[in-house]
């Protein structure tokens, strides 16, 4: 029997989301008594979220599913500063126009998983998208330092791992970045005042920043706020979650086709299947317990279900079933059918002139660099129209079109169609 009274904490615990909490018992009592408003922050450094954000996204989704109120805080203000947490170097600063463009893309990412209520917030349980530029852009520097600077000591700020490790590596840490944790703490205070937000959630690397916000709320407004972090997520082999040789596994389909998203999950390591089913699907826990006990070839059926369920949440049922059917034709029925494969369009004039096969594999995202494309070819893993690439100096032009497309393959499981635009 679970030790938690609230559906929220019971579900979070059973699915493996809880790493640290500032006061787990008190938060459980609050969540059992009334709807809790909670937030996760996302910096606007790209125009799509990726699989590395998915634990936080599923946190917000589970929160909404159990009757609570999620806030996705986007950092229109803090993106202009840059979070230094566990980074060896500063992020490049973005223009206001690029930040707004990224904000629209991230809203699309989140909208796949959360039910938003429009600009006014909509129904009681609707998710809100809030931009911290609303208050950070209005701050007066002297007034902010006077009112809030006294609640932060440099001694303690230097003790946080995110800062200490950067200094130990002798990597520069700008004054701008050093202010990030103060701004994040202030975000929590503003959200508690404006939206009644009582809980901040995030990855384990955000623990210090979250605790700062909890303490600021207590000192300034005398209110109890809560912080909860999720475990650092790596694969069974120790790799960072959400990264592949070709780069990030993006959520928005204009960044990554649904088939490639499905294929990423299908390639999950055996030791991760049960954990990923708990975190990234909404399958019943007793069904997950049955699936993670499968051995040998049977585990592949659990991986296909994982891929289809995660793709359904992100891209919809039709895209998930289409991706599963395409994979079945390619890898099980042996037809090699191209229908349903992701497509990249290239200007017809450019194809007519001929493109180096090395450049084409890089351009298609099947290799992270030209050097990686060459290594793929040397290893016999690169094919054009199902024929192995024998020469790295080969060029591909319109003559390679078969029924209007050129099929590129990297290994057995990654395929792209090139079509003239």
């Amino acid at each position: 029997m679970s030790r938690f009274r609230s559906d929220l904490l019971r579900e979070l615990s059973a699915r493996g989301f809880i790493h640290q909490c500032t006061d787990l018992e008190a938060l459980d009592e609050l969540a059992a008594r009334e709807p809790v408003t909670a937030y996760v922050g996302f910096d606007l450094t790209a125009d799509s979220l990726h699989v590395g954000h998915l634990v936080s996204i599923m946190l917000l989704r589970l929160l909404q599913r159990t009757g609570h109120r999620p806030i996705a805080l986007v950092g229109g203000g803090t993106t202009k500063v840059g979070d230094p947490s566990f980074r060896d170097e500063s992020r490049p600063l973005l223009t206001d126009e690029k930040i707004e463009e990224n904000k629209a893309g991230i809203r699309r990412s989140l909208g796949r998983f959360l039910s938003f209520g429009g600009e006014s917030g909509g129904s009681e349980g609707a998710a809100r998208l809030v931009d911290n530029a609303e208050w950070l852009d209005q701050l007066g520097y002297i007034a902010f330092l006077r009112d809030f600077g006294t609640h932060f000591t440099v001694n303690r700020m230097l003790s946080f791992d995110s800062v200490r490790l950067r200094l130990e590596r002798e990597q520069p840490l700008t004054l701008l970045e050093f202010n990030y944790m103060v701004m994040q703490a202030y975000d929590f205070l503003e959200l508690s005042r404006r939206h009644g937000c009582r809980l901040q959630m995030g990855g384990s690397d955000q623990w210090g920043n979250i605790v700062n916000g909890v303490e600021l709320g207590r000192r300034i407004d005398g209110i109890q706020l809560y912080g909860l972090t999720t475990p650092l997520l790596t694969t069974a082999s120790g790799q960072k979650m959400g990264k592949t040789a070709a780069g990030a596994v993006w959520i928005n389909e204009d960044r990554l086709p649904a088939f490639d998203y499905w294929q990423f999950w299908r390639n999950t390591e055996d030791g991760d299947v049960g954990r990923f089913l708990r975190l990234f699907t909404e399958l019943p826990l007793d069904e997950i317990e049955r699936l993670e006990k499968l051995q040998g070839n049977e585990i592949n059926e659990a991986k296909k279900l994982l891929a289809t369920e995660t793709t359904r949440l992100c891209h919809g049922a039709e895209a998930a079933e289409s991706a599963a059917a395409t994979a079945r034709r390619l890898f099980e029925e042996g037809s090699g059918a191209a229908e349903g494969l992701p497509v990249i369009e290239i200007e017809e004039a450019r194809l007519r002139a001929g493109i180096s096969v090395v450049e084409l594999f890089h351009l298609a995202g099947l290799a992270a660099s030209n050097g990686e494309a060459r290594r793929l070819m040397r290893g016999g893993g690169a094919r054009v129209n199902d024929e192995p690439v024998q020469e790295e100096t080969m060029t591909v032009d319109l003559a390679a079109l078969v029924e209007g497309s050129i099929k590129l393959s990297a290994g057995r499981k990654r395929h792209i169609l090139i079509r003239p635009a």
Side-chain angles (χ1 to χ4, degrees), residues 206-399:
Q206 294 296 316
W207 177 248
N209 292 340
I210 291 173
V211 168
N212 277 336
V214 171
E215 293 184 355
L216 190 64
R218 176 179 58 81
R219 292 176 179 177
I220 298 290
D221 286 353
I223 187 171
Q224 182 170 9
L225 302 177
Y226 302 90
L228 184 147
T229 62
T230 57
L232 176 66
L233 191 62
T234 57
T235 65
S237 60
Q239 299 298 310
K240 189 173 182 180
M241 179 67 186
K243 295 288 187 180
T244 70
V249 181
W250 299 102
I251 285 173
N252 290 2
E253 194 163 7
D254 58 352
R255 282 288 207 126
L256 185 77
F259 176 80
D260 286 358
Y261 190 84
W262 189 95
Q263 196 63 39
F264 167 78
W265 294 103
R266 170 62 181 85
N267 292 333
T268 295
E269 297 177 45
D270 291 2
D272 290 325
V273 172
R275 184 167 54 127
F276 287 3
L277 284 166
R278 285 184 173 83
L279 290 170
F280 303 122
T281 80
E282 293 173 350
L283 290 173
L285 290 169
D286 56 353
E287 172 69 0
I288 294 173
E289 289 176 6
R290 182 189 70 80
L291 290 167
E292 65 184 340
K293 292 175 183 175
L294 298 176
Q295 301 292 325
N297 289 333
E298 289 185 330
I299 196 69
N300 289 326
E301 297 307 311
K303 292 180 183 181
K304 293 173 194 173
L305 184 58
L306 169 67
T308 300
E309 287 298 306
T310 52
T311 305
R312 180 183 63 79
L313 286 175
C314 185
H315 295 290
E318 185 177 346
E321 292 303 325
S322 174
T326 298
R328 192 160 50 247
R329 289 194 302 270
L330 282 168
F331 309 129
E332 296 176 24
E333 298 170 5
S335 66
E339 182 183 350
L341 289 180
V343 174
I344 290 179
E345 292 187 340
I346 294 178
E347 291 179 7
E348 184 174 341
R350 191 175 178 191
L351 273 174
R352 183 178 291 109
I355 302 176
S356 157
V357 69
V358 170
E359 182 184 357
L360 194 58
F361 269 76
H362 183 199
L363 189 65
L366 293 174
S369 65
N370 287 350
E372 184 177 304
R374 291 188 181 94
R375 288 191 291 274
L376 181 69
M377 292 166 193
R378 291 166 191 165
R383 298 188 305 282
V384 175
N385 293 331
D386 297 322
E387 294 295 328
V389 176
Q390 304 288 354
E391 299 289 340
E392 297 171 23
T393 56
M394 170 184 172
T395 60
V396 179
D397 56 25
L398 291 175

Side-chain angles (χ1 to χ4, degrees), residues 64 69-72 107 110-111 113-130:
Q64 188 168 44
R69 306 185 190 106
I71 293 176
R107 170 66 184 249
L110 293 167
F113 296 88
L114 303 175
S115 176
F116 284 99
E119 294 301 319
S120 63
S123 63
E124 188 71 12
R128 288 176 179 267
L129 187 79
V130 180

